[in-house]
Amino acid sequence: MRIIRTRDYNHMSEHAAAVIAAQLTLQPNSTLGLATGSTPLGAYVRLVEMCAAGKISFAQVQSYNLDEYRGLTHDDPQSYHHFMWENLFSRVDIDVTRTHVPDGSNEDAASTCANYDAAIEAAGGIDLQLLGIGNNGHIGFNEPGDEFVVGTHCVDLTESTIKANSRLFESIDEVPRQAYTLGIGAIMHARRILVIASGTAKADAVHAMCYGPVTPACPASVLQLHPDCIVIADAAALSAC
Ligand code: PGA
């Protein structure tokens, strides 16, 4: 694990965008694993700017997102499909038919999850996986538990995650209780991982990820076993380290 300490959110975002841009320059046909949430927004803004300036291109990229709320349709403003369209896909030169987000509107969890894993495998796996980290140490929606779940699966979100994500909904009752998430297997099989974190709310989780025991009680701690994992965090997120 390489830890890059940045000053603040903007500085973190600049560094993260630079890593993704370098990945695209070195391998224009990269398969990217993408993340939603507040943390990657600044990096996405910078990538959009770089693409508009002709410095990078997503034309040959394919992408697989980490997760999606179960029960939301693609066009639901709270869906991660919608988030990706609004914040990245509609603003860069990516071929939208080569972007993938788990299908939250498919109630058949078993086939949704199996198809997603099969598609990633058929694509040859993920070259660069972007990850945020939850306050409780989750990656994607792999919540703290008794075991690492390897495959894409349907999860019951923890109260901590529902509370954290309720800031984006009108009320906590509107936050979906379940989600489809890539499992630890596809994440760990990514050839390179980039974790980004900002703010004091992440400090304990970042400490547990980097220095705690490798345990499913902190899913992000498994990243200690990855041979090429870069953590870009700001001073506040590293304040417990
Ligand atoms: P956030 O979410 O970027 O909105 O803080 C991160 C996560 O829960 O993985």
Side-chain angles (χ1 to χ4, degrees):
M1 230 174 205
R2 276 169 295 153
I3 302 172
I4 299 176
R5 185 186 191 89
T6 56
R7 286 187 300 277
D8 54 20
Y9 180 79
N10 284 335
H11 194 207
M12 177 205 75
S13 300
E14 269 167 35
H15 271 261
V19 169
I20 297 167
Q23 173 75 31
L24 296 187
T25 301
L26 292 169
Q27 190 186 344
N29 66 347
S30 289
T31 298
L32 299 181
L34 295 176
T36 53
S38 306
T39 314
L41 280 173
Y44 288 161
V45 166
R46 285 162 179 78
L47 289 170
V48 167
E49 287 167 1
M50 284 185 235
C51 193
K55 293 181 183 157
I56 56 169
S57 171
F58 289 77
Q60 297 180 57
V61 164
Q62 60 180 331
S63 70
Y64 288 86
N65 262 78
L66 276 170
D67 45 19
E68 177 61 285
Y69 288 119
R70 187 179 188 207
L72 298 191
T73 55
H74 294 194
D75 53 356
D76 189 303
Q78 297 290 3
S79 74
Y80 288 165
H81 270 92
H82 187 77
F83 176 103
M84 291 308 300
W85 174 254
E86 285 291 313
N87 293 298
L88 190 67
F89 298 156
S90 65
R91 296 169 191 255
V92 295
D93 59 347
I94 201 164
D95 174 355
V96 80
T97 65
R98 288 159 59 83
T99 66
H100 308 84
V101 182
D103 182 4
S105 65
N106 190 341
E107 287 293 321
D108 182 346
S111 74
T112 303
C113 296
N115 291 344
Y116 206 65
D117 279 334
I120 292 174
E121 203 177 325
I126 292 166
D127 293 304
L128 175 65
Q129 176 66 58
L130 177 63
L131 294 176
I133 177 169
N135 301 346
N136 62 1
H138 73 203
I139 46 176
F141 274 134
N142 289 275
E143 297 282 46
D146 297 333
E147 57 182 15
F148 292 116
V149 183
V150 173
T152 296
H153 56 287
C154 180
V155 291
D156 293 328
L157 301 179
T158 60
E159 281 309 312
S160 147
T161 297
I162 292 167
K163 193 165 163 233
N165 290 8
S166 66
R167 71 189 193 282
L168 305 169
F169 290 78
E170 296 263 309
S171 79
I172 196 161
D173 295 335
E174 287 180 25
V175 184
R177 266 40 187 177
Q178 289 189 315
Y180 294 129
T181 183
L182 212 59
I184 293 297
I187 294 173
M188 288 297 283
H189 283 133
R191 285 174 271 286
R192 179 170 292 142
I193 294 180
L194 170 58
V195 188
I196 52 177
S198 171
T200 49
K202 303 292 172 70
D204 289 343
V206 169
H207 179 269
M209 167 175 71
C210 299
Y211 301 110
V214 174
T215 166
C218 174
S221 65
V222 76
L223 300 173
Q224 291 176 33
L225 302 181
H226 195 280
D228 189 356
C229 178
I230 309 166
V231 178
I232 301 180
D234 66 14
L238 288 169
S239 58
C241 292

PDB file of all heavy atoms in Angstrom, residues 68-72 76 78-79 141 155-158 161-162 165 169 171-179:
ATOM      1  N   GLU A  68     -24.837  -0.463  -6.959  1.00  0.00           N
ATOM      2  CA  GLU A  68     -26.097   0.222  -7.298  1.00  0.00           C
ATOM      3  C   GLU A  68     -27.133  -0.142  -6.242  1.00  0.00           C
ATOM      4  O   GLU A  68     -27.141  -1.263  -5.723  1.00  0.00           O
ATOM      5  CB  GLU A  68     -26.579  -0.221  -8.679  1.00  0.00           C
ATOM      6  CG  GLU A  68     -27.919   0.362  -9.134  1.00  0.00           C
ATOM      7  CD  GLU A  68     -27.938   1.885  -9.252  1.00  0.00           C
ATOM      8  OE1 GLU A  68     -27.987   2.540  -8.188  1.00  0.00           O
ATOM      9  OE2 GLU A  68     -27.929   2.386 -10.391  1.00  0.00           O
ATOM     10  N   TYR A  69     -27.983   0.805  -5.907  1.00  0.00           N
ATOM     11  CA  TYR A  69     -29.091   0.517  -5.000  1.00  0.00           C
ATOM     12  C   TYR A  69     -30.046  -0.465  -5.653  1.00  0.00           C
ATOM     13  O   TYR A  69     -30.385  -0.317  -6.839  1.00  0.00           O
ATOM     14  CB  TYR A  69     -29.868   1.784  -4.678  1.00  0.00           C
ATOM     15  CG  TYR A  69     -29.148   2.748  -3.781  1.00  0.00           C
ATOM     16  CD1 TYR A  69     -28.837   4.031  -4.219  1.00  0.00           C
ATOM     17  CD2 TYR A  69     -28.802   2.392  -2.476  1.00  0.00           C
ATOM     18  CE1 TYR A  69     -28.193   4.935  -3.386  1.00  0.00           C
ATOM     19  CE2 TYR A  69     -28.160   3.289  -1.642  1.00  0.00           C
ATOM     20  CZ  TYR A  69     -27.856   4.559  -2.095  1.00  0.00           C
ATOM     21  OH  TYR A  69     -27.229   5.439  -1.277  1.00  0.00           O
ATOM     22  N   ARG A  70     -30.487  -1.443  -4.893  1.00  0.00           N
ATOM     23  CA  ARG A  70     -31.475  -2.386  -5.416  1.00  0.00           C
ATOM     24  C   ARG A  70     -32.849  -1.743  -5.356  1.00  0.00           C
ATOM     25  O   ARG A  70     -33.228  -1.172  -4.325  1.00  0.00           O
ATOM     26  CB  ARG A  70     -31.468  -3.667  -4.585  1.00  0.00           C
ATOM     27  CG  ARG A  70     -32.348  -4.748  -5.179  1.00  0.00           C
ATOM     28  CD  ARG A  70     -32.287  -5.997  -4.341  1.00  0.00           C
ATOM     29  NE  ARG A  70     -32.967  -7.113  -4.990  1.00  0.00           N
ATOM     30  CZ  ARG A  70     -33.509  -8.118  -4.351  1.00  0.00           C
ATOM     31  NH1 ARG A  70     -33.444  -8.183  -3.031  1.00  0.00           N
ATOM     32  NH2 ARG A  70     -34.113  -9.075  -5.004  1.00  0.00           N
ATOM     33  N   GLY A  71     -33.567  -1.825  -6.471  1.00  0.00           N
ATOM     34  CA  GLY A  71     -34.930  -1.301  -6.496  1.00  0.00           C
ATOM     35  C   GLY A  71     -35.043   0.042  -7.198  1.00  0.00           C
ATOM     36  O   GLY A  71     -36.146   0.534  -7.392  1.00  0.00           O
ATOM     37  N   LEU A  72     -33.912   0.647  -7.583  1.00  0.00           N
ATOM     38  CA  LEU A  72     -33.993   1.918  -8.302  1.00  0.00           C
ATOM     39  C   LEU A  72     -33.786   1.677  -9.795  1.00  0.00           C
ATOM     40  O   LEU A  72     -32.913   0.907 -10.193  1.00  0.00           O
ATOM     41  CB  LEU A  72     -32.924   2.900  -7.800  1.00  0.00           C
ATOM     42  CG  LEU A  72     -33.004   3.326  -6.331  1.00  0.00           C
ATOM     43  CD1 LEU A  72     -32.056   4.500  -6.073  1.00  0.00           C
ATOM     44  CD2 LEU A  72     -34.415   3.709  -5.915  1.00  0.00           C
ATOM     45  N   ASP A  76     -33.773   6.895 -12.170  1.00  0.00           N
ATOM     46  CA  ASP A  76     -34.067   7.473 -10.862  1.00  0.00           C
ATOM     47  C   ASP A  76     -32.919   8.427 -10.491  1.00  0.00           C
ATOM     48  O   ASP A  76     -31.757   8.039 -10.544  1.00  0.00           O
ATOM     49  CB  ASP A  76     -34.164   6.343  -9.814  1.00  0.00           C
ATOM     50  CG  ASP A  76     -34.690   6.861  -8.485  1.00  0.00           C
ATOM     51  OD1 ASP A  76     -34.082   7.802  -7.904  1.00  0.00           O
ATOM     52  OD2 ASP A  76     -35.707   6.327  -8.017  1.00  0.00           O
ATOM     53  N   GLN A  78     -31.702   9.243  -7.852  1.00  0.00           N
ATOM     54  CA  GLN A  78     -30.857   8.750  -6.756  1.00  0.00           C
ATOM     55  C   GLN A  78     -30.026   7.536  -7.167  1.00  0.00           C
ATOM     56  O   GLN A  78     -29.223   7.044  -6.378  1.00  0.00           O
ATOM     57  CB  GLN A  78     -31.720   8.355  -5.551  1.00  0.00           C
ATOM     58  CG  GLN A  78     -32.487   9.510  -4.940  1.00  0.00           C
ATOM     59  CD  GLN A  78     -31.565  10.490  -4.229  1.00  0.00           C
ATOM     60  OE1 GLN A  78     -30.357  10.346  -4.240  1.00  0.00           O
ATOM     61  NE2 GLN A  78     -32.160  11.493  -3.609  1.00  0.00           N
ATOM     62  N   SER A  79     -30.246   7.042  -8.391  1.00  0.00           N
ATOM     63  CA  SER A  79     -29.523   5.822  -8.778  1.00  0.00           C
ATOM     64  C   SER A  79     -28.083   6.166  -9.131  1.00  0.00           C
ATOM     65  O   SER A  79     -27.756   7.295  -9.524  1.00  0.00           O
ATOM     66  CB  SER A  79     -30.202   5.146  -9.967  1.00  0.00           C
ATOM     67  OG  SER A  79     -29.952   5.881 -11.150  1.00  0.00           O
ATOM     68  N   PHE A 141     -20.207  -1.575  -1.566  1.00  0.00           N
ATOM     69  CA  PHE A 141     -21.133  -1.748  -0.440  1.00  0.00           C
ATOM     70  C   PHE A 141     -20.808  -3.045   0.293  1.00  0.00           C
ATOM     71  O   PHE A 141     -21.692  -3.699   0.844  1.00  0.00           O
ATOM     72  CB  PHE A 141     -22.581  -1.737  -0.911  1.00  0.00           C
ATOM     73  CG  PHE A 141     -23.190  -0.357  -1.011  1.00  0.00           C
ATOM     74  CD1 PHE A 141     -23.919   0.015  -2.129  1.00  0.00           C
ATOM     75  CD2 PHE A 141     -23.061   0.563   0.016  1.00  0.00           C
ATOM     76  CE1 PHE A 141     -24.503   1.264  -2.221  1.00  0.00           C
ATOM     77  CE2 PHE A 141     -23.638   1.820  -0.060  1.00  0.00           C
ATOM     78  CZ  PHE A 141     -24.354   2.171  -1.189  1.00  0.00           C
ATOM     79  N   VAL A 155     -26.603  -6.859  -0.811  1.00  0.00           N
ATOM     80  CA  VAL A 155     -26.333  -6.646   0.617  1.00  0.00           C
ATOM     81  C   VAL A 155     -27.467  -5.888   1.282  1.00  0.00           C
ATOM     82  O   VAL A 155     -28.130  -5.061   0.655  1.00  0.00           O
ATOM     83  CB  VAL A 155     -25.049  -5.822   0.866  1.00  0.00           C
ATOM     84  CG1 VAL A 155     -23.816  -6.588   0.499  1.00  0.00           C
ATOM     85  CG2 VAL A 155     -25.075  -4.501   0.152  1.00  0.00           C
ATOM     86  N   ASP A 156     -27.629  -6.158   2.567  1.00  0.00           N
ATOM     87  CA  ASP A 156     -28.467  -5.315   3.412  1.00  0.00           C
ATOM     88  C   ASP A 156     -27.553  -4.211   3.942  1.00  0.00           C
ATOM     89  O   ASP A 156     -26.542  -4.506   4.583  1.00  0.00           O
ATOM     90  CB  ASP A 156     -29.020  -6.119   4.603  1.00  0.00           C
ATOM     91  CG  ASP A 156     -29.992  -7.190   4.138  1.00  0.00           C
ATOM     92  OD1 ASP A 156     -30.689  -6.959   3.130  1.00  0.00           O
ATOM     93  OD2 ASP A 156     -30.032  -8.262   4.785  1.00  0.00           O
ATOM     94  N   LEU A 157     -27.888  -2.971   3.649  1.00  0.00           N
ATOM     95  CA  LEU A 157     -27.033  -1.871   4.098  1.00  0.00           C
ATOM     96  C   LEU A 157     -27.116  -1.721   5.607  1.00  0.00           C
ATOM     97  O   LEU A 157     -28.178  -1.923   6.203  1.00  0.00           O
ATOM     98  CB  LEU A 157     -27.459  -0.575   3.404  1.00  0.00           C
ATOM     99  CG  LEU A 157     -27.391  -0.637   1.871  1.00  0.00           C
ATOM    100  CD1 LEU A 157     -27.859   0.670   1.260  1.00  0.00           C
ATOM    101  CD2 LEU A 157     -25.978  -0.956   1.404  1.00  0.00           C
ATOM    102  N   THR A 158     -25.989  -1.368   6.212  1.00  0.00           N
ATOM    103  CA  THR A 158     -25.976  -1.193   7.670  1.00  0.00           C
ATOM    104  C   THR A 158     -26.609   0.161   8.027  1.00  0.00           C
ATOM    105  O   THR A 158     -26.690   1.068   7.191  1.00  0.00           O
ATOM    106  CB  THR A 158     -24.543  -1.213   8.229  1.00  0.00           C
ATOM    107  OG1 THR A 158     -23.823  -0.134   7.614  1.00  0.00           O
ATOM    108  CG2 THR A 158     -23.835  -2.519   7.933  1.00  0.00           C
ATOM    109  N   THR A 161     -24.372   3.079   7.164  1.00  0.00           N
ATOM    110  CA  THR A 161     -24.344   3.484   5.757  1.00  0.00           C
ATOM    111  C   THR A 161     -25.640   4.198   5.379  1.00  0.00           C
ATOM    112  O   THR A 161     -25.621   5.222   4.684  1.00  0.00           O
ATOM    113  CB  THR A 161     -24.131   2.232   4.874  1.00  0.00           C
ATOM    114  OG1 THR A 161     -22.857   1.678   5.192  1.00  0.00           O
ATOM    115  CG2 THR A 161     -24.204   2.557   3.403  1.00  0.00           C
ATOM    116  N   ILE A 162     -26.767   3.683   5.862  1.00  0.00           N
ATOM    117  CA  ILE A 162     -28.054   4.318   5.555  1.00  0.00           C
ATOM    118  C   ILE A 162     -28.057   5.753   6.089  1.00  0.00           C
ATOM    119  O   ILE A 162     -28.455   6.695   5.398  1.00  0.00           O
ATOM    120  CB  ILE A 162     -29.211   3.483   6.149  1.00  0.00           C
ATOM    121  CG1 ILE A 162     -29.313   2.143   5.393  1.00  0.00           C
ATOM    122  CG2 ILE A 162     -30.532   4.242   6.097  1.00  0.00           C
ATOM    123  CD1 ILE A 162     -30.181   1.100   6.065  1.00  0.00           C
ATOM    124  N   ASN A 165     -25.673   7.973   3.979  1.00  0.00           N
ATOM    125  CA  ASN A 165     -26.170   8.274   2.637  1.00  0.00           C
ATOM    126  C   ASN A 165     -27.476   9.051   2.648  1.00  0.00           C
ATOM    127  O   ASN A 165     -27.889   9.590   1.620  1.00  0.00           O
ATOM    128  CB  ASN A 165     -26.341   6.969   1.837  1.00  0.00           C
ATOM    129  CG  ASN A 165     -24.988   6.357   1.510  1.00  0.00           C
ATOM    130  OD1 ASN A 165     -23.967   6.816   2.005  1.00  0.00           O
ATOM    131  ND2 ASN A 165     -24.980   5.338   0.685  1.00  0.00           N
ATOM    132  N   PHE A 169     -30.727  12.156   0.316  1.00  0.00           N
ATOM    133  CA  PHE A 169     -32.155  11.863   0.108  1.00  0.00           C
ATOM    134  C   PHE A 169     -32.987  12.866   0.897  1.00  0.00           C
ATOM    135  O   PHE A 169     -32.489  13.515   1.807  1.00  0.00           O
ATOM    136  CB  PHE A 169     -32.481  10.442   0.578  1.00  0.00           C
ATOM    137  CG  PHE A 169     -31.895   9.358  -0.295  1.00  0.00           C
ATOM    138  CD1 PHE A 169     -30.549   9.017  -0.203  1.00  0.00           C
ATOM    139  CD2 PHE A 169     -32.689   8.674  -1.211  1.00  0.00           C
ATOM    140  CE1 PHE A 169     -30.010   8.024  -1.006  1.00  0.00           C
ATOM    141  CE2 PHE A 169     -32.160   7.680  -2.017  1.00  0.00           C
ATOM    142  CZ  PHE A 169     -30.816   7.352  -1.906  1.00  0.00           C
ATOM    143  N   SER A 171     -35.356  12.162   2.957  1.00  0.00           N
ATOM    144  CA  SER A 171     -35.447  11.678   4.331  1.00  0.00           C
ATOM    145  C   SER A 171     -34.786  10.312   4.402  1.00  0.00           C
ATOM    146  O   SER A 171     -34.607   9.638   3.375  1.00  0.00           O
ATOM    147  CB  SER A 171     -36.907  11.563   4.778  1.00  0.00           C
ATOM    148  OG  SER A 171     -37.460  10.379   4.261  1.00  0.00           O
ATOM    149  N   ILE A 172     -34.456   9.899   5.630  1.00  0.00           N
ATOM    150  CA  ILE A 172     -33.755   8.627   5.804  1.00  0.00           C
ATOM    151  C   ILE A 172     -34.624   7.456   5.341  1.00  0.00           C
ATOM    152  O   ILE A 172     -34.113   6.432   4.883  1.00  0.00           O
ATOM    153  CB  ILE A 172     -33.282   8.465   7.272  1.00  0.00           C
ATOM    154  CG1 ILE A 172     -32.217   7.359   7.379  1.00  0.00           C
ATOM    155  CG2 ILE A 172     -34.436   8.220   8.223  1.00  0.00           C
ATOM    156  CD1 ILE A 172     -31.382   7.414   8.637  1.00  0.00           C
ATOM    157  N   ASP A 173     -35.952   7.633   5.401  1.00  0.00           N
ATOM    158  CA  ASP A 173     -36.854   6.550   4.990  1.00  0.00           C
ATOM    159  C   ASP A 173     -36.744   6.244   3.495  1.00  0.00           C
ATOM    160  O   ASP A 173     -37.121   5.173   3.044  1.00  0.00           O
ATOM    161  CB  ASP A 173     -38.311   6.918   5.317  1.00  0.00           C
ATOM    162  CG  ASP A 173     -38.500   7.030   6.816  1.00  0.00           C
ATOM    163  OD1 ASP A 173     -37.721   6.398   7.552  1.00  0.00           O
ATOM    164  OD2 ASP A 173     -39.404   7.774   7.234  1.00  0.00           O
ATOM    165  N   GLU A 174     -36.265   7.230   2.727  1.00  0.00           N
ATOM    166  CA  GLU A 174     -36.169   7.024   1.278  1.00  0.00           C
ATOM    167  C   GLU A 174     -34.905   6.297   0.854  1.00  0.00           C
ATOM    168  O   GLU A 174     -34.768   5.913  -0.305  1.00  0.00           O
ATOM    169  CB  GLU A 174     -36.236   8.368   0.558  1.00  0.00           C
ATOM    170  CG  GLU A 174     -37.627   8.947   0.580  1.00  0.00           C
ATOM    171  CD  GLU A 174     -37.695  10.282  -0.129  1.00  0.00           C
ATOM    172  OE1 GLU A 174     -36.862  10.552  -1.007  1.00  0.00           O
ATOM    173  OE2 GLU A 174     -38.584  11.052   0.236  1.00  0.00           O
ATOM    174  N   VAL A 175     -33.950   6.127   1.760  1.00  0.00           N
ATOM    175  CA  VAL A 175     -32.699   5.451   1.386  1.00  0.00           C
ATOM    176  C   VAL A 175     -33.001   3.965   1.187  1.00  0.00           C
ATOM    177  O   VAL A 175     -33.532   3.317   2.099  1.00  0.00           O
ATOM    178  CB  VAL A 175     -31.627   5.609   2.488  1.00  0.00           C
ATOM    179  CG1 VAL A 175     -30.304   4.992   2.033  1.00  0.00           C
ATOM    180  CG2 VAL A 175     -31.444   7.064   2.886  1.00  0.00           C
ATOM    181  N   PRO A 176     -32.666   3.423   0.001  1.00  0.00           N
ATOM    182  CA  PRO A 176     -32.893   1.991  -0.185  1.00  0.00           C
ATOM    183  C   PRO A 176     -32.154   1.185   0.879  1.00  0.00           C
ATOM    184  O   PRO A 176     -31.101   1.594   1.358  1.00  0.00           O
ATOM    185  CB  PRO A 176     -32.330   1.723  -1.583  1.00  0.00           C
ATOM    186  CG  PRO A 176     -32.388   3.037  -2.281  1.00  0.00           C
ATOM    187  CD  PRO A 176     -32.128   4.061  -1.208  1.00  0.00           C
ATOM    188  N   ARG A 177     -32.707   0.054   1.240  1.00  0.00           N
ATOM    189  CA  ARG A 177     -32.116  -0.771   2.306  1.00  0.00           C
ATOM    190  C   ARG A 177     -31.184  -1.824   1.759  1.00  0.00           C
ATOM    191  O   ARG A 177     -30.487  -2.500   2.499  1.00  0.00           O
ATOM    192  CB  ARG A 177     -33.221  -1.430   3.128  1.00  0.00           C
ATOM    193  CG  ARG A 177     -33.654  -0.684   4.390  1.00  0.00           C
ATOM    194  CD  ARG A 177     -33.753   0.809   4.261  1.00  0.00           C
ATOM    195  NE  ARG A 177     -34.024   1.449   5.557  1.00  0.00           N
ATOM    196  CZ  ARG A 177     -34.105   2.743   5.750  1.00  0.00           C
ATOM    197  NH1 ARG A 177     -33.925   3.587   4.745  1.00  0.00           N
ATOM    198  NH2 ARG A 177     -34.356   3.242   6.948  1.00  0.00           N
ATOM    199  N   GLN A 178     -31.206  -2.016   0.445  1.00  0.00           N
ATOM    200  CA  GLN A 178     -30.358  -3.058  -0.146  1.00  0.00           C
ATOM    201  C   GLN A 178     -29.620  -2.491  -1.360  1.00  0.00           C
ATOM    202  O   GLN A 178     -30.040  -1.492  -1.958  1.00  0.00           O
ATOM    203  CB  GLN A 178     -31.205  -4.239  -0.602  1.00  0.00           C
ATOM    204  CG  GLN A 178     -31.770  -5.063   0.542  1.00  0.00           C
ATOM    205  CD  GLN A 178     -32.419  -6.324   0.023  1.00  0.00           C
ATOM    206  OE1 GLN A 178     -33.162  -6.278  -0.953  1.00  0.00           O
ATOM    207  NE2 GLN A 178     -32.116  -7.448   0.654  1.00  0.00           N
ATOM    208  N   ALA A 179     -28.532  -3.155  -1.693  1.00  0.00           N
ATOM    209  CA  ALA A 179     -27.772  -2.754  -2.882  1.00  0.00           C
ATOM    210  C   ALA A 179     -27.091  -3.975  -3.472  1.00  0.00           C
ATOM    211  O   ALA A 179     -26.897  -4.988  -2.790  1.00  0.00           O
ATOM    212  CB  ALA A 179     -26.725  -1.706  -2.500  1.00  0.00           C
TER     213      ALA A 179
END
